[in-house]
Amino acid sequence: MSNPGGAKISADQLRARYIGTGHSDMSKYEFVTNQHRDTFASHVSHYDQLSYYAVAQNESIGRIRSQLLEKMVQPCGPPPKKSKEQQLMEKMND
């Protein structure tokens, strides 16, 4: 993969630049949460899309925007409980 100048970009540089690209240790929950946050951020930042949702739901644009921003806190609900093995592995890695 390369950038517009033609120089090669490593996977580490891509991960540093784009948070949602993930890594091998990323859980399904983290990946889906990033995906939903990106989607909600896109809806909030594009006014035409936001006004479309407001008309479809018969709500004001400001209310739809605030609802989407509130959903960005935990878009997929609370994180799943970690098993004892995962907790031990995290303690060993820290």
Side-chain angles (χ1 to χ4, degrees):
M1 196 173 245
S2 65
N3 62 9
K8 296 288 183 183
I9 296 177
S10 71
D12 293 333
Q13 289 173 326
L14 278 175
R15 283 189 203 99
R17 186 180 299 171
Y18 304 110
I19 303 299
T21 54
H23 51 81
S24 60
D25 295 331
M26 181 178 256
S27 69
K28 180 179 178 181
Y29 174 80
E30 291 172 327
F31 179 78
V32 173
T33 299
N34 282 339
Q35 188 176 19
H36 282 154
R37 283 190 180 135
D38 289 346
T39 302
F40 291 147
S42 175
H43 294 329
V44 169
S45 63
H46 291 92
Y47 184 80
D48 292 337
Q49 226 174 359
L50 193 62
S51 63
Y52 174 79
Y53 291 128
V55 168
Q57 295 179 17
N58 197 23
E59 296 283 349
S60 68
I61 292 172
R63 182 166 291 165
I64 297 296
R65 177 180 284 125
S66 69
Q67 288 174 356
L68 290 174
L69 290 173
E70 286 175 6
K71 286 182 182 179
M72 286 176 69
V73 175
Q74 283 189 338
C76 300
K81 301 272 186 188
K82 294 184 179 180
S83 67
K84 290 183 179 182
E85 292 175 3
Q86 290 174 336
Q87 291 174 353
L88 289 173
M89 291 297 285
E90 285 182 358
K91 286 182 182 178
M92 289 175 61
N93 290 335
D94 290 339

